[in-house]
Amino acid sequence: MTRITVSVDGVSCTDEVEPRMLLVHYLRETVGKVGTVIGCDTSNCGACTVHLDGRSVKSCNMLAVQADGHEVTTIEGLAKDGRLHPMQVAFHENHALQCGYCTPGMIMQAIDLVGQNPSPTEDEIRHGMEGNLCRCTGYHNIVKAVAAAAGAMSSERSDS
Amino acid sequence: MIPTSFDYVAPTSVDEALSVLAEAGDDAKVLAGGQSLLPILRMRLNAPEKVVDLGRIEALRGVRDGGDHIAIGAMTPYCDIVDDALVREHALLLAKAVETVADPQIRHRGTVGGALVHADPAGDVGAPVLALEATLVVVGPGGERTVAASEFFQDLFETSVGDGELLTEIRIPKHTGWGASYEKFVRVSHQWSIVAVAATVRLDGGSIAEARIGLTNMGSTPLRATAVEQALVGKGASDLAEACSAAAEGTNPPSDLNGDADYRRHLAGVLARRAVQKAMEG
Amino acid sequence: MTAVDDRPALEVGKDRRRKEDARLITGRTRWTDNMVLPGMLHLAMVRSPFAHANIQNIDTAAAQGAPGVVGVFTGKDLADTQGVNINAWPITADQKTPTHLPVCIERVACAGEIVAVVVARSAAQARDAAELVDVDYEELPAVLDMKEAMKDEVLAHPDLGTNKSAFWRLDSAEQGSGGDVEEAIAKARESGIVIEREYRQQRLVPAFMEPRSTVVDPTGDQMVVWSATQVPHILRFAIAATMGIQESKIRVVAPDVGGGFGGKLQTTPEEFATIAVARKLGKPCKYTETRSESMVSAHHGRDQWQKLTLSAEKDGTVTGLKVELLADLGAYVAIVGGGVPVLGAWMFNAIYKFPAYQFNCQTVLTNKTWVDAYRGAGRPEATYGIERLMDELAAEVGVDPIAIREKNWITKDEFPFTTVAGMTYDSGNYEAATEKALELFGYDELRAEQKRRREAGDPVQLGLGVSTFTEMCGLAPSRVLGSLSYGAGGWESASIRMLATGTVEVVSGATPHGQGHETAWSQIVADRLGIPFENVEVLHGDTQTSPKGLDTYGSRSLVVGGEAIVRAADKVIEKARPIAAHMLEASVDDIEFNAGQFTVRGTDKGVGITDIALATFAAHDLPDGVEPSIDADATFDPVNFSFPHGTHLCAMEVDTETGATTMRKYVCVDDIGTIINPLIVEGQMHGGLVQGIAQALWEGAEYDEQGTLVSGSFVDYTLPTAADTISYVSEHTTSPSTTNTLGTKGVGEAGTIASTPAVVNAIVDAVRHLGINDIQMPCTPERVWKAIQSAGGTQDAAPVADAQPHFDEGTPNQDPAAGTTDGAAQ
């Protein structure tokens, strides 16, 4: 067992873990962040996407011990004071989810994308989301939602 | 989905890593970015006794100007390469290839050194490194040695990095002002390359003064199409087809669900022409 | 219905944002794998790597002794308690139906079958110990190709003596719904056109995003089962029917379920194994599959060869269609596996007026993963066949594919129309949908561009694909199902509970897994009862709260389940009416109900339905003989299917140098009857389209010669991403269904059914001038390129003459690329 300290959604967590434990299993089973889900075993689907020190990573493709000393943000850490993140709002408003299983990963990746590129084109959104599979939406409304959120986030920035 | 049990160690210096590796012998596996290793461990295709994580060795990260070359730390993640000013100025081909690797999340974690040592022939880093005539710095118990990219790749998933050794740096001679393109052919965007062609050219007037062509997934290692490179010298943009048609000569590509060897050979020719054409545009 | 000015704006038709989203976008969702119970144990499955083998011996000793292991169970250990996987639809009385045990005892019939179950304190320990279970297999010859299977040389199940499961026929002359197809074909051979083709419907993996998971909590002789299933009610029935547990002791819950597409309408070996082990140990147990396990062990879809003969007059008027299907069931006859291809019987004639028709379906067993419903189930296969043929007929006659369809389709004045298959279409307007689609698409401009590119010899050619489809939705009238020997009915159930504080609980037997029932049902009830949308709560997916239901598949939830809700709501109103009359001191005959208010005709006196709910709660002053409740239940059994239709148009660019295809534009205009929520409908269309497009371009479950699934992970089973797809134009025309109150038709499968032939028609259209008339799905760049190479790239290299006697047995397709792939890999 190895002792790790990881900040998860702003809370410092110190736990003893097996070195082989994947970050996603640590989040789900040890910390209880079941909002982050597992969709595949080949790191193709992106359902487990979280932010590590502010950048998107697939949490099935990291060991929990690699996150020692780092900050992890999950879908459960996005809403602040009961106020949803603009990306969450945009997914809801644009009907960018159906079964919702891919949604946490989609939202986390979309936030990273817009963080890097505040006004992406449709093509840039599509390529920026290529690490996340969805079987329900055909991506059409996901692309719309990311564009809408990018707009909302940039006007939020210019307002403040 | 759950790897077998292993011990984990995360050294903070190359020397420490080398001594850990020396001690562990055959049973250790080096963890770089982990984007290929983790799936292998999860599927239990490999069951190491010890995993040596290089992620905490700061010295292995970053790009620096080495005078006639740029030096890229083996643990530099893809996403840092893509946007690096030195890379874009002196080794544009590498940036173009790296931006096609997998997907953004993978590029945040995956490292250029990890990919080179993993040596998957369908990986996108080998061909540009080969085409750019890079030198690879390998350290081991006996000290440091350098290996030419042309000597580095030995076979499927096999490089000249021996047990107990580490790849620490990739030195790429400056190809300042060379145009570059990486033409990657896939059926869906997150796929490994079915075939890809890495091309970088230096122009003199409107025609090619020098060309370097690397091929991805056309054999058990990345390949260099030197015959095409020579045939391209002096050619203009409208005059590339014949020179590029020989791109697959001497290759031994695989056959799989995405295409048989003949189809891959054909693709290599078409993609080579397109890659050179785009490289000539910038 | 009379128009009333002060009515609140209607909910039906409004693009309400979904109620479901709040938990899904915040990670507060209730997936089965999220469930943790005190003392819960974890299962890992030991699965056969062989396609066909006898189990000689299983040594579990090492696994038993591994850390954390609580038990290791083989099929023998569970023989008396594990139940059996059921086939609910034997398509013929003499159907060969191999016994399908959850955990194999003597023999495995496909790779991925479970041979032992390891139970441990943690999932990691269970996995570790599973590696220690030592199984001796005696490999048996495996039959993997369905045409090979027809020869009965190698048997998938030696004890059955044959691989042929069942043969089913519909003949229009025999059943009196049309003429004799052989006569029509013979006549066309003399003086008309005969189009003969053999098309391949490749095997697909449903690939729902949430891997399947089951948690079982046995408490004494009672038991709760949480499962990622589309069919909690059917699962409960199957457990009771096969495991020796009283139905009343079993509670099945489908919490949030992450997609299904038919892939979760099965009752699975994994569910039965988990239940059997949990009961044996008396402890809560969880099993969650990995994606790799899911790919090989959850049922697959499609997998047919379609031999088609279409006869027509020289002007393109179709005179007959003969269909000969060969359908691979895989190793077992799944819950409705045999019936899925049979659903095509009523769909191959599609929207057309064919005078003669015959449908033949032979189902066969092989040593591959079992096959069952995948989005569309039988109807996409049929639609693909006929819509590809109509394009071929157009090419033969030398007219536009739209013109050939207009010549043969049922016109808008001919509804209701009884088809040559004997199905009565209640409503439709193919002209309107097609006209709108052509306009949105810019059909004529794209045809002009296609001509320019052909003339210029552009390396990138353009092709336009047409698909005018219909489908039968709303599974299904119970009498029809009974006549087909289906093992259950097709009704759906609903309850409405009027709570004292003014809110309403709607209990539905239809169990969603992403469709948005909570939102759509709320809209229906809000209108029907005049209750605010926000005050309606929809409950589902738990046999304790929604005890009656037949679940969600076959685009049935709205058409059947929605109607049940309407009827329950109407019963609530009728139960409230005498109480309203009593409260308003008026005669029942004078009471009117509108927008949530009961009023006395000709006065301004009124009482709200929620006030009546409160009055019945108190029950202080109710009329004599009236029970203190206005809650109501309804069970609706439809009298007919519904028939959505639409016109889909697709433009594909084909890079003739590489064979790569790129979608340029996609327009669909669908008539799905009344739309409850346009936002949800658009979402269903987009998602359906991409699944159908993916069959045309990307997906295929491929096996090697040993019977190993080669495309067994998301690395090799190439699902499209956002970067591989485009934005779609999706519009509607509306001719309401006449078979339900709301006029709805169903939308869940429409996009998938229509889009596959539209895409392939477009690709073939792009290269037809090179002498190509088919490319096998998925139309990979390699296949497209090889077709172009084989055709020689010239007009005179047309590989096939059409009006020839029937093709030779074993000559697959007219696809020049088909010969290059291994038969076993088909």
Side-chain angles (χ1 to χ4, degrees):
Chain A
M1 300 293 262
T2 303
R3 176 182 290 260
I4 60 171
T5 300
V6 186
S7 162
V8 181
D9 294 334
V11 175
S12 175
C13 304
T14 300
D15 292 287
E16 298 280 337
V17 299
E18 275 193 278
R20 64 161 158 172
M21 184 179 240
L22 303 175
L23 178 58
V24 69
H25 287 140
Y26 173 70
L27 293 171
R28 287 178 57 80
E29 293 162 17
T30 308
V31 190
K33 296 283 182 180
V34 290
T36 301
V37 296
I38 300 165
C40 74
D41 43 16
T42 48
S43 68
N44 289 81
C45 83
C48 65
T49 300
V50 299
H51 291 177
L52 181 81
D53 300 332
R55 295 307 303 269
S56 61
V57 298
K58 293 181 174 177
S59 62
C60 74
N61 229 15
M62 265 188 79
L63 302 171
V65 286
Q66 289 179 283
D68 184 23
H70 294 275
E71 276 181 26
V72 172
T73 307
T74 77
I75 187 74
E76 296 176 57
L78 290 182
K80 297 273 185 268
D81 306 324
R83 198 167 145 256
L84 294 175
H85 188 283
M87 193 62 74
Q88 292 172 306
V89 174
F91 268 61
H92 175 59
E93 283 299 321
N94 291 280
H95 185 37
L97 60 148
Q98 289 177 34
C99 84
Y101 198 77
C102 74
T103 307
M106 284 283 178
I107 289 177
M108 297 312 286
Q109 175 53 25
I111 292 171
D112 183 278
L113 189 164
V114 174
Q116 297 299 304
N117 180 359
S119 11
T121 63
E122 174 171 343
D123 194 51
E124 286 166 344
I125 293 170
R126 287 184 175 278
H127 279 96
M129 302 300 290
E130 71 191 351
N132 293 73
L133 295 173
C134 169
R135 194 62 159 165
C136 293
T137 65
Y139 303 105
H140 183 115
N141 284 346
I142 291 177
V143 173
K144 258 172 78 177
V146 177
M153 286 159 74
S154 77
S155 63
E156 217 171 68
R157 269 191 305 274
S158 56
D159 288 349
S160 58
Chain B
M1 188 61 202
I2 302 166
T4 51
S5 284
F6 50 75
D7 290 332
Y8 170 84
V9 55
T12 53
S13 71
V14 172
D15 285 345
E16 191 189 342
L18 289 174
S19 64
V20 170
L21 283 174
E23 199 179 299
D26 290 354
D27 300 328
K29 195 82 195 158
V30 174
L31 171 62
Q35 301 305 286
S36 292
L37 181 59
L38 261 290
I40 288 168
L41 296 181
R42 285 202 308 267
M43 304 291 263
R44 301 195 169 201
L45 301 173
N46 197 315
E49 297 276 318
K50 182 169 267 180
V51 167
V52 183
D53 179 5
L54 305 184
R56 307 209 181 247
I57 307 178
E58 281 307 316
L60 291 180
R61 249 174 245 272
V63 183
R64 61 181 177 81
D65 194 330
D68 62 346
H69 65 271
I70 58 168
I72 301 170
M75 285 294 291
T76 310
Y78 293 123
C79 60
D80 289 357
I81 304 265
V82 172
D83 295 326
D84 187 88
L86 284 171
V87 174
R88 295 204 81 89
E89 190 182 352
H90 304 298
L92 182 60
L93 179 60
L94 183 65
K96 295 258 184 184
V98 163
E99 68 193 8
T100 73
V101 172
D103 57 56
Q105 293 99 312
I106 301 285
R107 294 196 292 273
H108 290 154
R109 292 290 300 169
T111 62
V112 63
L116 288 171
V117 178
H118 182 53
D120 188 321
D124 296 307
V125 184
V129 162
L130 192 61
L132 290 166
E133 300 179 323
T135 300
L136 301 144
V137 181
V138 176
V139 298
E144 184 178 297
R145 63 192 176 96
T146 57
V147 185
S150 56
E151 306 289 317
F152 184 78
F153 302 102
Q154 312 229 309
D155 204 347
L156 206 63
F157 304 110
E158 254 186 68
T159 70
S160 62
V161 179
D163 285 341
E165 288 190 317
L166 292 173
L167 171 68
T168 55
E169 194 169 81
I170 300 102
R171 291 178 187 159
I172 300 179
K174 285 185 177 172
H175 287 68
T176 317
W178 288 52
S181 174
Y182 189 69
E183 283 291 298
K184 177 170 177 169
F185 195 84
V186 286
R187 291 178 54 216
V188 293
S189 73
H190 58 114
Q191 235 182 340
W192 293 85
S193 285
I194 296 171
V195 174
V197 176
T200 188
V201 295
R202 184 172 66 79
L203 297 182
D204 188 4
S207 57
I208 294 172
E210 282 183 275
R212 299 285 178 268
I213 312 287
L215 307 176
T216 301
N217 211 16
M218 287 297 288
S220 58
T221 67
L223 298 172
R224 178 110 174 250
T226 44
V228 178
E229 293 175 2
Q230 283 154 20
L232 281 169
V233 174
K235 294 287 192 297
S238 59
D239 194 19
L240 303 172
E242 204 193 323
C244 292
S245 65
E249 228 166 72
T251 62
N252 187 18
S255 291
D256 59 28
L257 290 180
N258 295 303
D260 63 18
D262 282 346
Y263 177 60
R264 281 189 159 90
R265 285 193 195 95
H266 165 76
L267 279 181
V270 175
L271 298 176
R273 191 194 75 225
R274 291 180 182 180
V276 173
Q277 219 153 24
K278 281 191 193 160
M280 291 179 78
E281 288 159 17
Chain C
M1 200 187 288
T2 50
V4 176
D5 291 335
D6 57 357
R7 283 174 78 100
L10 286 178
E11 282 292 339
V12 168
K14 207 187 262 187
D15 59 348
R16 276 285 187 185
R17 292 341 186 231
R18 296 198 322 168
K19 290 183 168 182
E20 290 85 344
D21 292 357
R23 62 183 185 273
L24 298 169
I25 58 174
T26 53
R28 295 303 305 149
T29 319
R30 301 156 302 183
W31 310 114
T32 301
D33 188 48
N34 290 359
M35 194 83 59
V36 178
L37 299 172
M40 188 174 79
L41 303 172
H42 298 263
L43 272 56
M45 303 301 178
V46 180
R47 295 179 183 275
S48 168
F50 299 111
H52 197 189
N54 283 325
I55 301 166
Q56 305 277 59
N57 183 49
I58 302 179
D59 182 353
T60 63
Q64 299 271 13
V69 170
V70 176
V72 182
F73 301 96
T74 65
K76 271 185 199 149
D77 300 328
L78 302 173
D80 300 331
T81 54
Q82 67 169 337
V84 65
N85 288 101
I86 55 171
N87 166 239
W89 187 359
I91 56 172
T92 61
D94 60 353
Q95 174 181 284
K96 294 279 189 296
T97 312
T99 304
H100 188 182
L101 296 177
V103 182
C104 297
I105 297 174
E106 292 175 350
R107 189 172 56 91
V108 295
C110 63
E113 283 216 83
I114 303 167
V115 296
V117 184
V118 177
V119 190
R121 292 181 60 210
S122 77
Q125 288 170 330
R127 189 69 259 157
D128 290 346
E131 314 261 305
L132 304 174
V133 175
D134 190 9
V135 187
D136 284 342
Y137 294 98
E138 177 200 21
E139 261 195 278
L140 297 170
V143 60
L144 302 165
D145 177 83
M146 66 178 120
K147 287 187 174 178
E148 280 300 311
M150 282 297 288
K151 297 178 190 164
D152 279 342
E153 287 168 2
V154 177
L155 297 178
H157 295 275
D159 50 319
L160 293 180
T162 179
N163 294 318
K164 300 183 186 82
S165 178
F167 176 78
W168 193 96
R169 167 178 286 173
L170 182 158
D171 184 275
S172 66
E174 270 171 34
Q175 72 171 23
S177 57
D180 184 318
V181 80
E182 299 296 354
E183 272 175 31
I185 293 167
K187 188 166 171 236
R189 283 199 203 284
E190 296 289 313
S191 58
I193 298 168
V194 179
I195 308 272
E196 290 167 288
R197 291 289 187 276
E198 190 170 24
Y199 292 132
R200 180 78 173 102
Q201 277 285 326
Q202 80 270 35
R203 185 178 268 253
L204 299 178
V205 179
F208 35 77
M209 289 311 300
E210 179 207 18
R212 297 170 306 163
S213 178
T214 300
V215 172
V216 179
D217 188 18
T219 48
D221 57 357
Q222 294 175 321
M223 175 176 72
V224 187
V225 179
W226 290 268
S227 197
T229 178
Q230 290 175 231
V231 292
H233 298 92
I234 292 170
L235 177 58
R236 184 190 193 210
F237 173 88
I239 296 168
T242 73
M243 299 188 85
I245 308 170
Q246 285 180 24
E247 190 173 350
S248 54
K249 305 277 187 202
I250 308 161
R251 175 184 170 199
V252 178
V253 186
D256 285 310
V257 176
F261 318 110
K264 288 176 183 166
L265 64 60
Q266 207 61 248
T267 58
T268 68
E270 290 80 3
E271 286 167 333
F272 289 126
T274 309
I275 292 165
V277 166
R279 291 182 76 219
K280 210 168 217 15
L281 295 171
K283 291 278 187 293
C285 286
K286 179 197 275 187
Y287 171 71
T288 300
E289 68 184 359
T290 65
R291 177 59 60 184
S292 299
E293 287 181 292
S294 188
M295 297 298 283
V296 70
S297 64
H299 76 244
H300 294 171
R302 311 280 191 265
D303 212 355
Q304 299 178 353
W305 279 105
Q306 311 176 319
K307 200 162 159 180
L308 307 171
T309 310
L310 184 84
S311 61
E313 290 170 15
K314 285 223 157 74
D315 69 349
T317 304
V318 175
T319 57
L321 173 65
K322 182 177 176 182
V323 177
E324 293 162 273
L325 291 190
L326 197 55
D328 188 349
L329 300 178
Y332 298 101
V333 192
I335 192 162
V336 292
V340 164
V342 168
L343 286 173
W346 299 277
M347 285 289 105
F348 267 96
N349 55 300
I351 64 167
Y352 306 113
K353 295 179 285 189
F354 295 163
Y357 174 63
Q358 189 186 76
F359 173 91
N360 304 279
C361 175
Q362 175 71 53
T363 57
V364 289
L365 296 157
T366 61
N367 295 113
K368 287 155 77 166
T369 300
W370 43 330
V371 174
D372 205 332
Y374 169 56
R375 203 168 190 170
R379 294 156 292 167
E381 296 93 318
T383 303
Y384 180 81
I386 187 59
E387 288 305 294
R388 286 284 298 112
L389 278 188
M390 293 308 274
D391 262 35
E392 295 305 302
L393 178 61
E396 180 67 24
V397 177
V399 297
D400 192 273
I402 298 284
I404 208 78
R405 288 170 171 81
E406 282 171 344
K407 184 179 269 302
N408 287 288
W409 71 32
I410 303 158
T411 63
K412 62 179 185 293
D413 306 321
E414 293 174 306
F415 289 95
F417 184 91
T418 300
T419 71
V420 72
M423 200 53 90
T424 301
Y425 296 175
D426 61 334
S427 69
N429 187 335
Y430 310 139
E431 294 91 332
T434 303
E435 191 185 332
K436 194 167 178 181
L438 290 171
E439 192 189 315
L440 288 165
F441 192 61
Y443 191 80
D444 296 338
E445 293 85 339
L446 286 165
R447 279 276 178 229
E449 181 186 335
Q450 178 185 41
K451 190 160 174 274
R452 283 198 303 278
R453 289 197 189 208
R454 277 192 187 178
E455 286 167 359
D458 195 321
V460 179
Q461 288 290 314
L462 179 66
L464 307 187
V466 179
S467 170
T468 50
F469 85 105
T470 190
E471 57 162 325
M472 48 199 273
C473 280
L475 293 176
S478 297
R479 280 186 189 179
V480 175
L481 294 176
S483 72
L484 295 170
S485 310
Y486 187 78
W491 47 263
E492 195 45 85
S493 157
S495 302
I496 294 186
R497 302 179 195 149
M498 303 297 292
L499 304 185
T501 52
T503 56
V504 177
E505 283 177 343
V506 178
V507 179
S508 174
T511 305
H513 35 284
Q515 291 87 348
H517 290 179
E518 292 168 29
T519 305
W521 288 191
S522 295
Q523 289 178 269
I524 294 169
V525 171
D527 276 0
R528 210 76 194 169
L529 295 181
I531 305 278
F533 171 79
E534 295 76 11
N535 290 358
V536 184
E537 196 69 35
V538 177
L539 309 175
H540 55 75
D542 181 340
T543 61
Q544 199 163 71
T545 43
S546 56
K548 276 184 73 182
L550 285 172
D551 306 318
T552 291
Y553 42 84
S555 302
R556 69 188 301 275
S557 285
L558 177 58
V559 181
V560 190
E563 181 67 12
I565 288 168
V566 167
R567 294 187 178 207
D570 289 352
K571 283 188 186 174
V572 168
I573 294 165
E574 289 319 307
K575 283 181 81 174
R577 196 181 295 274
I579 301 170
H582 179 74
M583 290 169 76
L584 295 167
E585 297 173 329
S587 159
V588 169
D589 297 339
D590 290 333
I591 298 294
E592 293 178 333
F593 180 71
N594 190 10
Q597 286 286 314
F598 288 92
T599 51
V600 181
R601 187 176 296 124
T603 74
D604 57 0
K605 288 206 297 183
V607 60
I609 193 165
T610 53
D611 299 326
I612 296 172
L614 181 60
T616 58
F617 174 73
H620 294 162
D621 181 19
L622 297 178
D624 290 343
V626 168
E627 67 168 331
S629 167
I630 57 171
D631 296 353
D633 302 335
T635 303
F636 172 66
D637 198 347
V639 293
N640 194 0
F641 297 88
S642 64
F643 301 94
H645 69 82
T647 298
H648 288 224
L649 300 172
C650 172
M652 294 293 296
E653 289 182 351
V654 176
D655 180 344
T656 57
E657 285 191 314
T658 62
T661 59
T662 312
M663 189 171 288
R664 167 91 168 268
K665 191 168 191 182
Y666 197 104
V667 167
C668 56
V669 176
D670 288 84
D671 183 340
I672 55 160
T674 305
I675 291 173
I676 306 299
N677 183 324
L679 199 68
I680 291 176
V681 162
E682 291 317 297
Q684 286 286 334
M685 284 310 303
H686 298 150
L689 287 177
V690 170
Q691 286 188 1
I693 293 165
Q695 176 174 15
L697 297 178
W698 297 299
E699 294 178 24
E702 303 283 355
Y703 283 80
D704 68 11
E705 285 168 11
Q706 279 71 50
T708 303
L709 180 65
V710 180
S711 49
S713 78
F714 282 168
V715 173
D716 297 305
Y717 192 83
T718 41
L719 296 177
T721 72
D724 304 301
T725 50
I726 65 169
S727 292
Y728 305 97
V729 178
S730 167
E731 292 275 349
H732 299 278
T733 53
T734 304
S735 47
S737 166
T738 61
T739 57
N740 63 69
T741 310
L742 295 166
T744 58
K745 293 183 177 177
V747 69
E749 296 162 294
T752 305
I753 291 170
S755 60
T756 312
V759 175
V760 178
N761 279 342
I763 292 172
V764 173
D765 185 55
V767 293
R768 191 182 288 281
H769 65 294
L770 303 175
I772 293 164
N773 68 12
D774 192 30
I775 293 168
Q776 190 175 304
M777 295 190 293
C779 300
T780 61
E782 182 190 31
R783 282 187 175 150
V784 174
W785 182 76
K786 289 201 163 163
I788 295 168
Q789 295 310 298
S790 308
T794 61
Q795 300 276 10
D796 19 294
V800 174
D802 287 327
Q804 61 185 9
H806 229 304
F807 20 50
D808 299 331
E809 193 65 48
T811 308
N813 226 347
Q814 274 77 19
D815 171 14
T820 63
T821 48
D822 190 328
Q826 299 296 303

